[in-house]
Amino acid sequence: MELFNLGIKSIFVENMIFAYFLGMCSFLAVSKKVSTAIGLGAAVIFVLTITVPLDWIIQEYVLKEGALAWMGPQFAETNLEFLSFILFIAVIASMVQLVEMIIEKISPALYGSLGIFLPLIAVNCAILGSSLFMVQRDYTFAEATVFGFSSGIGWLLAIVALAAIREKLKYSNVPDGLKGLGLTMLITGLMGLAFKSFIGLAV
Amino acid sequence: MSTETLEQTQEVAVKKKSEDFLSKRRKKILSDPLNDDNPITVQVLGICSALAVTVKMEPTLIMAIAVVFVIVFSNLIISLIRNLVPNRVRIIVQLAVIATLVTLVSEVLKAYNYEMFKVLGAFIGLIITNCIIMGRLEAFAMGNKPYDSILDGLGSGIGYAWIILAVAFFRELLGSGSVFGFEVWNSIGLSGMPNNGLMVDSIGAFVVLGLIIWVQRSLSGYVEN
């Protein structure tokens, strides 16, 4: 039940985009069409669900203070936490590469539609951000997995909703300076306001 | 090894003759990203890790300095090794360089200003995925000489810094009634000025940035299709 609550919380209340601004670059750049937005969102969910638990394992058994105790008593006090950025980003970059190769092998059709977005995911702040939050908040392994998966869902929800709005906006008459990014930021603000109402959820 | 260094020194000697320290072209590299080609408002890069820290001026300033540092030095390093890196692994190499510099920043901050380190938290680490840095490495440092790359990094970094400082200025002024912790409204006799809670929230950041983009683009005449 707690895990379910955590999932709901990460999707709606602490949405990656509206509460933490993570993954904004691709959120703004790839939200012009609903179909591509769904593709990118699915890829983000996939990568997040794999990398967050993987980074949890690395954090727990390699980086944390005393985590290397399983190698022998002389390592009991080693603290490698300063290496976390490099290791996490390496895990993410190689996972993205791996996912790309696997998808290409198993489902060329899906690869064709996702292809260009997969490399983009490596520098999506939502992925690295989730891993760093997971460390900050001391999640267990199960919590980390649920957190990764539902953060991805929240991200997909946000980008698809924005893409749907922007498709309609194509036909509106907007002041020149506000066209594109300016208006998108204002809309994101309004969507964030709507998402704020989920704070009332008792989870 | 010795022939290589010889060649390099010869190259440097040729370079020195060719261009002034701050020629017209180099001034353009430095000044373009400040307004006409601003990384945030025109190129739409680096919004991710920027907005979350702009509630107050002070953490924003620290963040801006950290980003300028990382972008200048990563540009320099990548530009120095650009001919040694095989094209296929360049993304990993770039990420490794950036991650190392960010780790450096984070350790220094932890040592000298632990309070600020706690405020910024995960967002220092998120400089790694700041798209401006990757973008400049890909678009500029991979194909240009070290000194030009430093200028480009400096220009992009400052272009990024002034936008997030402007966002932070309005958010702190309207949201907390202060600038750098200095109580503005109280000191000019408007102590009844209410604070706008929305500005402290993430929504305020979106709206303020949207409006700043509108103003900046109207002034510079940039129109997105």
Side-chain angles (χ1 to χ4, degrees):
Chain A
M1 199 57 205
E2 253 169 44
L3 288 179
F4 181 74
N5 283 348
L6 177 71
I8 296 291
K9 204 168 117 191
S10 332
I11 295 176
F12 294 109
V13 184
E14 297 185 345
N15 188 286
M16 272 291 154
I17 284 177
F18 298 120
Y20 297 111
F21 314 94
L22 294 181
M24 286 296 292
C25 292
S26 27
F27 175 74
L28 296 172
V30 195
S31 59
K32 284 181 183 139
K33 269 179 70 189
V34 172
S35 54
T36 45
I38 292 177
L40 182 66
V44 166
I45 295 179
F46 198 63
V47 175
L48 263 177
T49 319
I50 298 172
T51 52
V52 176
L54 209 60
D55 282 343
W56 185 88
I57 294 173
I58 290 182
Q59 168 74 12
E60 203 69 8
Y61 292 106
V62 180
L63 296 175
K64 219 176 177 181
E65 190 170 3
L68 281 176
W70 56 270
M71 276 174 71
Q74 71 270 38
F75 294 109
E77 294 192 348
T78 347
N79 183 357
L80 293 177
E81 244 165 32
F82 66 95
L83 284 177
S84 61
F85 294 157
I86 296 187
L87 271 182
F88 285 177
I89 200 74
V91 166
I92 291 168
S94 43
M95 271 326 291
V96 168
Q97 198 85 51
L98 199 68
V99 167
E100 196 178 343
M101 285 179 341
I102 292 173
I103 292 184
E104 192 180 7
K105 195 84 187 165
I106 294 175
S107 162
L110 183 64
Y111 180 78
S113 56
L114 280 185
I116 37 168
F117 300 123
L118 281 169
L120 261 181
I121 294 175
V123 287
N124 188 324
C125 332
I127 315 273
L128 183 62
S130 302
S131 289
L132 294 177
F133 282 146
M134 171 269 296
V135 173
Q136 237 176 19
R137 295 175 188 168
D138 268 332
Y139 284 142
T140 63
F141 183 74
E143 280 171 344
T145 315
V146 171
F147 174 67
F149 179 67
S150 45
S151 295
I153 302 237
W155 200 86
L156 172 100
L157 204 66
I159 193 172
V160 171
L162 182 71
I165 296 177
R166 285 183 78 175
E167 274 191 2
K168 298 280 176 204
L169 276 178
K170 248 186 257 165
Y171 309 105
S172 340
N173 198 3
V174 180
D176 271 353
L178 199 55
K179 261 181 199 161
L181 182 62
L183 191 61
T184 311
M185 291 306 295
L186 294 182
I187 292 169
T188 313
L190 293 177
M191 286 168 71
L193 208 53
F195 263 73
K196 277 285 164 246
S197 53
F198 288 117
I199 284 182
L201 278 180
V203 286
Chain B
M1 194 63 200
S2 62
T3 48
E4 251 181 48
T5 33
L6 199 68
E7 270 173 22
Q8 274 172 359
T9 40
Q10 273 173 349
E11 228 179 72
V12 170
V14 174
K15 257 189 241 167
K16 268 182 185 164
K17 259 183 258 166
S18 62
E19 216 175 345
D20 287 345
F21 182 65
L22 262 181
S23 64
K24 212 170 188 180
R25 186 182 67 87
R26 287 185 166 153
K27 269 186 198 150
K28 204 169 151 46
I29 294 178
L30 190 61
S31 66
D32 252 6
L34 295 187
N35 193 20
D36 291 343
D37 199 20
N38 190 285
I40 292 186
T41 63
V42 177
Q43 299 174 28
V44 203
L45 294 175
I47 297 172
C48 332
S49 64
L51 289 175
V53 299
T54 53
V55 178
K56 293 256 162 70
M57 289 291 272
E58 208 185 336
T60 312
L61 188 66
I62 303 271
M63 186 72 176
I65 294 171
V67 169
V68 171
F69 170 81
V70 173
I71 195 169
V72 168
F73 280 91
S74 58
N75 254 3
L76 171 66
I77 293 170
I78 290 294
S79 177
L80 285 172
I81 62 172
R82 68 183 188 278
N83 294 328
L84 305 173
V85 180
N87 210 27
R88 291 179 63 102
V89 295
R90 66 180 195 287
I91 302 274
I92 303 269
V93 173
Q94 288 165 2
L95 278 175
V97 168
I98 299 172
T100 314
L101 286 166
V102 171
T103 308
L104 209 63
V105 168
S106 140
E107 293 296 310
V108 168
L109 195 64
K110 205 192 275 178
Y112 288 99
N113 195 343
Y114 190 65
E115 287 303 308
M116 199 45 75
F117 178 78
K118 274 196 294 194
V119 171
L120 289 172
F123 291 100
I124 281 288
L126 287 173
I127 297 177
I128 297 173
T129 48
N130 190 321
C131 335
I132 297 179
I133 298 174
M134 281 294 277
R136 286 337 284 168
L137 293 184
E138 270 292 288
F140 201 91
M142 284 304 284
N144 282 284
K145 289 170 190 156
Y147 179 59
D148 287 352
S149 303
I150 293 181
L151 288 180
D152 178 77
L154 207 57
S156 298
I158 294 171
Y160 164 89
W162 84 259
I163 294 281
I164 66 167
L165 282 171
V167 174
F169 175 78
F170 288 112
R171 283 184 76 189
E172 188 176 354
L173 185 66
L174 300 175
S176 324
S178 57
V179 172
F180 278 112
F182 174 74
E183 308 265 325
V184 178
W185 302 125
N186 282 340
S187 62
I188 57 170
L190 283 172
S191 49
M193 187 78 179
N195 288 336
N196 186 344
L198 215 53
M199 283 293 155
V200 183
D201 210 282
S202 54
I203 300 151
F206 290 124
V207 174
V208 169
L209 185 64
L211 295 177
I212 287 181
I213 289 168
W214 188 4
V215 172
Q216 200 269 346
R217 282 186 173 184
S218 305
L219 292 178
S220 68
Y222 176 86
V223 178
E224 195 176 317
N225 294 317

